[in-house]
């Protein structure tokens, strides 16, 4: 998250991807999706939103995430 706060989005993407390699969690997928959306990488973001929802379908804001993911392609 520090990278995102510093507007170093590409570094944040790499850090989140490395985190997923170590331990896959719904939250990491969600943070990666958010960062990818900021970069305009919509299709990749959608796949991570979907992964986050698969891992934790009852997570807080799940309905909102589904609304965000629906139009992304």
């Amino acid at each position: 998250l520090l990278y995102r706060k510093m507007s170093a989005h590409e570094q944040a993407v790499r850090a989140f991807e490395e985190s997923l390699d170590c331990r896959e969690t719904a939250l990491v997928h969600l943070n990666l999706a958010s960062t990818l959306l900021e970069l305009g990488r919509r299709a990749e973001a959608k796949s991570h939103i979907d992964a986050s929802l698969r891992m934790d379908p009852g997570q807080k804001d799940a309905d909102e995430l589904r609304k965000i993911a629906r139009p992304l392609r």
Side-chain angles (χ1 to χ4, degrees):
L1 293 175
L2 176 64
Y3 288 121
R4 286 181 54 204
K5 290 179 183 175
M6 295 172 33
S7 296
H9 293 92
E10 290 297 339
Q11 288 100 332
V13 168
R14 284 192 292 281
F16 288 132
E17 289 172 339
E18 289 174 9
S19 182
L20 285 174
D21 288 341
C22 294
R23 182 166 182 254
E24 186 178 17
T25 68
L27 181 58
V28 174
H29 277 291
L30 191 56
N31 286 325
L32 179 52
S34 175
T35 304
L36 290 167
L37 282 173
E38 289 179 33
L39 291 169
R41 293 163 59 178
R42 298 166 54 95
E44 291 173 85
K46 182 181 184 327
S47 72
H48 288 285
I49 290 172
D50 292 344
S52 179
L53 289 169
R54 274 193 307 278
M55 293 182 79
D56 185 3
Q59 64 183 289
K60 182 181 177 211
D61 302 324
D63 290 335
E64 187 64 30
L65 291 173
R66 287 183 184 91
K67 289 178 188 174
I68 292 169
R70 206 170 288 131
L72 298 176
R73 298 205 192 282

